[in-house]
Amino acid sequence: MPIDKGVTVEIELAQTGFALAGLKGVLRRANIAKATLDAVQGTPGFFDASKGSLERLSTLGDRVEGLLASGDMNGALDALNDAPALHSAALAEISDTKENDHNRQEYAIQLLTTTAIES
């Protein structure tokens, strides 16, 4: 069936408090850092539930996907806006923990410091 009238589509994009550029790399590196520390049960939060920023950062993509799938755009945006704070907290927790193998700890820190979330 031919369309003889023009169609206008408007798309409104929600804003986050930071640029999403680089977020995929941050999440990928957070997953590698977490796996590195999990191998020696040294991930912050492994034995202390009050910590765990690295785990929350490494699962951020899955959390956002779940929120979007359920139609919760505001929740997804809130989770994305938490990414810079989670990144900073994960770095601080890894640096402060005494439970880690030193080489794995340094590797995890390097992973998270060689990529950044642009603000």
mmCIF file of all heavy atoms in Angstrom, residues 1 5 14-15 22 24 27 44 53-55 71 73 76 79 91-92 98 103-104 107-108 111 117:
data_model
loop_
_atom_site.group_PDB
_atom_site.id
_atom_site.type_symbol
_atom_site.label_atom_id
_atom_site.label_comp_id
_atom_site.label_asym_id
_atom_site.label_seq_id
_atom_site.Cartn_x
_atom_site.Cartn_y
_atom_site.Cartn_z
ATOM 1 N N MET A 1 0.849 -1.161 0.000
ATOM 2 C CA MET A 1 0.000 0.000 0.000
ATOM 3 C C MET A 1 0.902 1.234 0.000
ATOM 4 O O MET A 1 1.696 1.436 0.911
ATOM 5 C CB MET A 1 -0.905 -0.029 1.234
ATOM 6 C CG MET A 1 -1.750 1.201 1.354
ATOM 7 S SD MET A 1 -2.523 1.353 2.969
ATOM 8 C CE MET A 1 -4.002 0.460 2.752
ATOM 9 N N LYS A 5 1.365 10.512 1.948
ATOM 10 C CA LYS A 5 1.541 11.630 2.865
ATOM 11 C C LYS A 5 2.857 11.453 3.615
ATOM 12 O O LYS A 5 3.282 10.339 3.890
ATOM 13 C CB LYS A 5 0.389 11.718 3.865
ATOM 14 C CG LYS A 5 -0.939 12.042 3.223
ATOM 15 C CD LYS A 5 -1.996 12.226 4.276
ATOM 16 C CE LYS A 5 -3.311 12.569 3.580
ATOM 17 N NZ LYS A 5 -4.350 12.822 4.519
ATOM 18 N N ALA A 14 16.674 10.998 26.371
ATOM 19 C CA ALA A 14 16.877 11.401 27.763
ATOM 20 C C ALA A 14 18.344 11.752 27.966
ATOM 21 O O ALA A 14 19.222 11.271 27.260
ATOM 22 C CB ALA A 14 16.459 10.271 28.696
ATOM 23 N N GLN A 15 18.611 12.579 28.924
ATOM 24 C CA GLN A 15 19.970 13.023 29.210
ATOM 25 C C GLN A 15 20.544 12.291 30.417
ATOM 26 O O GLN A 15 19.837 11.998 31.366
ATOM 27 C CB GLN A 15 19.986 14.535 29.498
ATOM 28 C CG GLN A 15 19.516 15.377 28.340
ATOM 29 C CD GLN A 15 20.462 15.285 27.154
ATOM 30 O OE1 GLN A 15 21.667 15.382 27.327
ATOM 31 N NE2 GLN A 15 19.920 15.091 25.974
ATOM 32 N N GLY A 22 33.032 5.856 26.200
ATOM 33 C CA GLY A 22 33.978 5.174 27.079
ATOM 34 C C GLY A 22 33.347 4.246 28.093
ATOM 35 O O GLY A 22 34.048 3.466 28.738
ATOM 36 N N LYS A 24 31.427 1.602 27.741
ATOM 37 C CA LYS A 24 31.565 0.189 27.389
ATOM 38 C C LYS A 24 32.948 -0.334 27.794
ATOM 39 O O LYS A 24 33.067 -1.418 28.348
ATOM 40 C CB LYS A 24 31.332 -0.009 25.895
ATOM 41 C CG LYS A 24 31.393 -1.443 25.452
ATOM 42 C CD LYS A 24 31.094 -1.566 23.971
ATOM 43 C CE LYS A 24 31.180 -2.996 23.503
ATOM 44 N NZ LYS A 24 30.936 -3.123 22.060
ATOM 45 N N LEU A 27 33.147 -0.727 31.611
ATOM 46 C CA LEU A 27 32.440 -1.915 32.089
ATOM 47 C C LEU A 27 33.201 -3.183 31.729
ATOM 48 O O LEU A 27 33.273 -4.122 32.532
ATOM 49 C CB LEU A 27 31.020 -1.956 31.519
ATOM 50 C CG LEU A 27 30.119 -0.792 31.920
ATOM 51 C CD1 LEU A 27 28.729 -0.964 31.332
ATOM 52 C CD2 LEU A 27 30.053 -0.624 33.420
ATOM 53 N N PRO A 44 36.773 -6.664 46.585
ATOM 54 C CA PRO A 44 36.130 -5.946 47.695
ATOM 55 C C PRO A 44 34.635 -6.287 47.728
ATOM 56 O O PRO A 44 33.956 -6.244 46.714
ATOM 57 C CB PRO A 44 36.357 -4.479 47.354
ATOM 58 C CG PRO A 44 37.597 -4.482 46.517
ATOM 59 C CD PRO A 44 37.512 -5.752 45.710
ATOM 60 N N SER A 53 31.563 -2.096 45.281
ATOM 61 C CA SER A 53 31.376 -1.165 44.164
ATOM 62 C C SER A 53 31.867 -1.745 42.851
ATOM 63 O O SER A 53 31.281 -1.498 41.805
ATOM 64 C CB SER A 53 32.093 0.162 44.440
ATOM 65 O OG SER A 53 31.496 0.806 45.533
ATOM 66 N N LEU A 54 32.944 -2.534 42.891
ATOM 67 C CA LEU A 54 33.445 -3.157 41.664
ATOM 68 C C LEU A 54 32.412 -4.127 41.109
ATOM 69 O O LEU A 54 32.168 -4.155 39.905
ATOM 70 C CB LEU A 54 34.775 -3.875 41.921
ATOM 71 C CG LEU A 54 35.387 -4.593 40.714
ATOM 72 C CD1 LEU A 54 35.640 -3.625 39.564
ATOM 73 C CD2 LEU A 54 36.676 -5.293 41.116
ATOM 74 N N GLU A 55 31.796 -4.896 41.968
ATOM 75 C CA GLU A 55 30.757 -5.826 41.506
ATOM 76 C C GLU A 55 29.574 -5.055 40.909
ATOM 77 O O GLU A 55 29.067 -5.416 39.847
ATOM 78 C CB GLU A 55 30.271 -6.718 42.648
ATOM 79 C CG GLU A 55 29.216 -7.702 42.190
ATOM 80 C CD GLU A 55 28.815 -8.691 43.261
ATOM 81 O OE1 GLU A 55 29.415 -8.691 44.350
ATOM 82 O OE2 GLU A 55 27.896 -9.466 42.991
ATOM 83 N N GLY A 71 10.779 -1.432 31.178
ATOM 84 C CA GLY A 71 10.152 -0.139 30.889
ATOM 85 C C GLY A 71 10.516 0.958 31.865
ATOM 86 O O GLY A 71 9.907 2.030 31.847
ATOM 87 N N MET A 73 12.670 3.545 32.353
ATOM 88 C CA MET A 73 13.680 4.440 31.774
ATOM 89 C C MET A 73 14.345 5.288 32.853
ATOM 90 O O MET A 73 15.558 5.484 32.829
ATOM 91 C CB MET A 73 13.040 5.343 30.723
ATOM 92 C CG MET A 73 13.973 6.393 30.156
ATOM 93 S SD MET A 73 15.369 5.708 29.268
ATOM 94 C CE MET A 73 14.694 5.626 27.654
ATOM 95 N N ALA A 76 16.858 3.247 34.717
ATOM 96 C CA ALA A 76 18.041 3.012 33.885
ATOM 97 C C ALA A 76 18.931 4.250 33.854
ATOM 98 O O ALA A 76 20.157 4.146 33.959
ATOM 99 C CB ALA A 76 17.615 2.618 32.472
ATOM 100 N N ALA A 79 20.711 4.592 37.133
ATOM 101 C CA ALA A 79 21.819 3.636 37.214
ATOM 102 C C ALA A 79 23.005 4.121 36.390
ATOM 103 O O ALA A 79 24.151 4.056 36.842
ATOM 104 C CB ALA A 79 21.351 2.256 36.735
ATOM 105 N N LEU A 91 37.651 1.911 42.501
ATOM 106 C CA LEU A 91 39.091 2.173 42.579
ATOM 107 C C LEU A 91 39.552 2.330 44.024
ATOM 108 O O LEU A 91 40.580 1.775 44.431
ATOM 109 C CB LEU A 91 39.445 3.436 41.790
ATOM 110 C CG LEU A 91 39.752 3.228 40.325
ATOM 111 C CD1 LEU A 91 39.819 4.563 39.602
ATOM 112 C CD2 LEU A 91 41.037 2.454 40.151
ATOM 113 N N ALA A 92 38.786 3.078 44.804
ATOM 114 C CA ALA A 92 39.144 3.300 46.213
ATOM 115 C C ALA A 92 39.111 1.989 46.990
ATOM 116 O O ALA A 92 40.013 1.704 47.786
ATOM 117 C CB ALA A 92 38.200 4.322 46.839
ATOM 118 N N LYS A 98 43.225 -5.026 51.857
ATOM 119 C CA LYS A 98 44.464 -5.709 52.224
ATOM 120 C C LYS A 98 44.393 -7.187 51.842
ATOM 121 O O LYS A 98 45.361 -7.915 51.991
ATOM 122 C CB LYS A 98 44.709 -5.596 53.734
ATOM 123 C CG LYS A 98 44.712 -4.181 54.253
ATOM 124 C CD LYS A 98 45.880 -3.380 53.695
ATOM 125 C CE LYS A 98 45.932 -2.007 54.312
ATOM 126 N NZ LYS A 98 45.737 -0.924 53.401
ATOM 127 N N ASN A 103 49.995 -8.306 43.075
ATOM 128 C CA ASN A 103 50.050 -8.213 41.607
ATOM 129 C C ASN A 103 48.661 -8.117 40.996
ATOM 130 O O ASN A 103 48.436 -7.342 40.064
ATOM 131 C CB ASN A 103 50.814 -9.401 41.020
ATOM 132 C CG ASN A 103 52.286 -9.364 41.360
ATOM 133 O OD1 ASN A 103 52.865 -8.297 41.519
ATOM 134 N ND2 ASN A 103 52.887 -10.535 41.488
ATOM 135 N N ARG A 104 47.729 -8.881 41.515
ATOM 136 C CA ARG A 104 46.351 -8.821 41.009
ATOM 137 C C ARG A 104 45.713 -7.478 41.357
ATOM 138 O O ARG A 104 44.972 -6.909 40.575
ATOM 139 C CB ARG A 104 45.528 -9.981 41.570
ATOM 140 C CG ARG A 104 45.910 -11.315 40.991
ATOM 141 C CD ARG A 104 45.127 -12.450 41.644
ATOM 142 N NE ARG A 104 45.539 -13.727 41.131
ATOM 143 C CZ ARG A 104 44.992 -14.329 40.081
ATOM 144 N NH1 ARG A 104 43.989 -13.753 39.451
ATOM 145 N NH2 ARG A 104 45.424 -15.495 39.672
ATOM 146 N N TYR A 107 47.086 -4.915 38.977
ATOM 147 C CA TYR A 107 46.510 -5.133 37.655
ATOM 148 C C TYR A 107 45.081 -4.579 37.598
ATOM 149 O O TYR A 107 44.707 -3.888 36.642
ATOM 150 C CB TYR A 107 46.543 -6.621 37.320
ATOM 151 C CG TYR A 107 45.932 -6.965 35.982
ATOM 152 C CD1 TYR A 107 46.468 -6.468 34.796
ATOM 153 C CD2 TYR A 107 44.833 -7.815 35.898
ATOM 154 C CE1 TYR A 107 45.919 -6.796 33.568
ATOM 155 C CE2 TYR A 107 44.278 -8.142 34.678
ATOM 156 C CZ TYR A 107 44.819 -7.634 33.514
ATOM 157 O OH TYR A 107 44.266 -7.955 32.301
ATOM 158 N N ALA A 108 44.290 -4.859 38.622
ATOM 159 C CA ALA A 108 42.911 -4.359 38.661
ATOM 160 C C ALA A 108 42.890 -2.832 38.689
ATOM 161 O O ALA A 108 42.072 -2.200 37.999
ATOM 162 C CB ALA A 108 42.182 -4.928 39.880
ATOM 163 N N LEU A 111 43.709 -1.563 35.234
ATOM 164 C CA LEU A 111 42.558 -1.731 34.337
ATOM 165 C C LEU A 111 41.572 -0.576 34.481
ATOM 166 O O LEU A 111 41.066 -0.043 33.504
ATOM 167 C CB LEU A 111 41.845 -3.051 34.609
ATOM 168 C CG LEU A 111 42.506 -4.301 34.066
ATOM 169 C CD1 LEU A 111 41.857 -5.543 34.669
ATOM 170 C CD2 LEU A 111 42.418 -4.338 32.552
ATOM 171 N N ILE A 117 35.291 7.406 32.548
ATOM 172 C CA ILE A 117 33.984 7.871 32.108
ATOM 173 C C ILE A 117 34.075 9.366 31.928
ATOM 174 O O ILE A 117 34.418 10.082 32.859
ATOM 175 C CB ILE A 117 32.897 7.489 33.137
ATOM 176 C CG1 ILE A 117 32.848 5.981 33.313
ATOM 177 C CG2 ILE A 117 31.549 8.043 32.731
ATOM 178 C CD1 ILE A 117 31.970 5.517 34.451
#
